Amino acid sequence: MRLDQSADQHYRDRVARVVAHIVAHPLAAHRLEDLAAIAHFSPFHFHRVYSSIAGETVAATVRRVRLALATRLLEQGGQSITQVALEVGYDSPQAFTRAFSQFTGQSPRAFQRDMHRLILDSGAANEHANAHTKAEQTLAVQIVERPAQRLHALRHQGPPSTIPHTQRRLYLQCGQRAAHRLGASCGVPQDVGGGFRYYAAVVLPDAPSEADNGLERLDIPAGLYARHTLTGPYTRINAALAAIHTRWLPASGYEPDDRPTLEHYLNSPRNAAQADLRTDLLIPIRPTTSL
């Protein structure tokens, strides 16, 4: 029997409280009885309800939140792989490496090396080459013009680490009707003041039906974008966007525009390995104005 929309949203709100608690306390034990009490569900039925709403088990959510924390620690540098493993709750670097590789498609050491190349080496471009040319070669940024586009989207509620839950809801709702899958965001995930907004979005070939009444319409204006095609897991998206902003943009002759940043997912984890995922990162730009 299908829940009506209000009852379904009520269940989602209760599960969202559990996810928020896990994100706020990633290293806690997270006993099933305690999480069920947070959501006001019977412990006997909580696991099944949680899995049906979140699309994964509680253990999978805890593991993903801890590994998302690990990616941030590895991006920051300053800690060894063993130190990061212990900090996110793994007893050995070997167990951490196995879990991290499944999560991101690459080992912690390779991930840290790639993040170092994208973020921390930005100053090296000025030594023997023009900074713009060097960054453009490394990041393979193209300037493209895109027409206006109408998207239909679900606004993500909660921390960035739970965005896959919103993407799954959208997939279940739109299924094979979606011509394209995108993410649209404003602000940066690190903005703890609430300025970050993310939408899981699709392009629908036909007018929305009654089943789509939970979707918001997003009209994206036409304009110029800096496009970089990222190959690899979605956990690298934020670092790649930061590298474009810090390394390519300042010497490009362009500045950020006020339209949303877009992520165009060219394939899917449902049919591609993590290392083979391809995503067009699209930063809205306009010619730099003279002051």
Side-chain angles (χ1 to χ4, degrees), residues 154-263:
L154 290 175
R155 180 171 177 177
H156 174 65
Q157 304 289 339
S161 58
T162 61
I163 282 175
H165 292 178
T166 304
Q167 287 285 4
R168 176 181 177 272
R169 283 180 55 202
L170 185 66
Y171 177 80
L172 292 175
Q173 186 164 340
C174 296
Q176 300 301 318
R177 293 184 299 133
H180 300 281
R181 294 190 313 114
L182 298 98
S185 63
C186 301
V188 294
Q190 296 81 5
D191 186 352
V192 296
F196 177 69
R197 300 194 311 278
Y198 176 90
Y199 296 86
V202 292
V203 176
L204 295 177
D206 304 312
S209 65
E210 290 184 5
D212 298 319
N213 59 4
L215 299 182
E216 297 183 40
R217 193 178 83 184
L218 296 180
D219 288 317
I220 307 298
L224 295 176
Y225 289 84
R227 181 179 68 192
H228 169 66
T229 302
L230 176 69
T231 300
Y234 298 148
T235 50
R236 300 180 61 187
I237 287 176
N238 288 335
L241 289 173
I244 295 169
H245 276 96
T246 58
R247 296 178 59 187
W248 180 85
L249 196 57
S252 68
Y254 294 88
E255 62 188 23
D257 201 5
D258 294 331
R259 290 163 286 136
T261 295
L262 301 177
E263 302 165 8

Side-chain angles (χ1 to χ4, degrees), residues 20-288:
H21 178 78
I22 293 172
V23 171
H25 309 280
L27 302 183
H30 296 305
R31 296 190 314 150
L32 205 63
E33 295 83 356
D34 298 333
L35 297 179
I38 291 172
H40 297 292
F41 282 119
S42 162
F44 299 103
H45 303 290
F46 170 69
H47 194 278
R48 179 172 295 177
V49 171
Y50 183 93
S51 297
S52 67
I53 296 294
E56 62 185 6
T57 64
V58 170
T61 298
V62 172
R63 182 169 57 251
R64 187 160 49 77
V65 168
R66 290 177 178 177
L67 291 171
L69 173 60
T71 64
R72 295 196 295 274
L73 295 174
L74 291 170
E75 285 177 22
Q76 293 168 5
Q79 296 188 76
S80 69
I81 304 300
T82 299
Q83 289 172 321
V84 172
L86 294 174
E87 186 158 343
V88 298
Y90 285 84
D91 295 331
S92 71
Q94 293 79 11
F96 171 63
T97 296
R98 286 194 299 272
F100 191 90
S101 298
Q102 292 173 352
F103 180 64
T104 67
Q106 59 185 159
S107 70
R109 195 169 303 281
F111 180 87
Q112 193 171 49
R113 183 188 63 235
D114 288 349
M115 295 306 98
H116 186 274
R117 178 175 58 81
L118 283 171
I119 298 175
L120 301 180
D121 288 345
S122 58
N126 293 321
E127 292 184 6
H128 302 293
N130 175 270
H132 170 50
T133 302
K134 181 78 171 181
E136 189 169 21
Q137 289 173 350
T138 302
L139 294 168
V141 177
Q142 295 178 307
I143 298 171
V144 298
E145 186 167 6
R146 289 172 60 93
Q149 190 173 35
R150 174 164 294 175
L151 307 177
H152 288 86
L154 290 175
R155 180 171 177 177
H156 174 65
Q157 304 289 339
S161 58
T162 61
I163 282 175
H165 292 178
T166 304
Q167 287 285 4
R168 176 181 177 272
R169 283 180 55 202
L170 185 66
Y171 177 80
L172 292 175
Q173 186 164 340
C174 296
Q176 300 301 318
R177 293 184 299 133
H180 300 281
R181 294 190 313 114
L182 298 98
S185 63
C186 301
V188 294
Q190 296 81 5
D191 186 352
V192 296
F196 177 69
R197 300 194 311 278
Y198 176 90
Y199 296 86
V202 292
V203 176
L204 295 177
D206 304 312
S209 65
E210 290 184 5
D212 298 319
N213 59 4
L215 299 182
E216 297 183 40
R217 193 178 83 184
L218 296 180
D219 288 317
I220 307 298
L224 295 176
Y225 289 84
R227 181 179 68 192
H228 169 66
T229 302
L230 176 69
T231 300
Y234 298 148
T235 50
R236 300 180 61 187
I237 287 176
N238 288 335
L241 289 173
I244 295 169
H245 276 96
T246 58
R247 296 178 59 187
W248 180 85
L249 196 57
S252 68
Y254 294 88
E255 62 188 23
D257 201 5
D258 294 331
R259 290 163 286 136
T261 295
L262 301 177
E263 302 165 8
H264 183 190
Y265 309 114
L266 303 177
N267 55 8
S268 167
R270 295 181 181 86
N271 50 41
Q274 290 282 333
D276 297 327
L277 293 175
R278 298 177 65 247
T279 309
D280 271 351
L281 306 179
L282 296 149
I283 297 176
I285 56 174
R286 62 191 177 202
T288 301

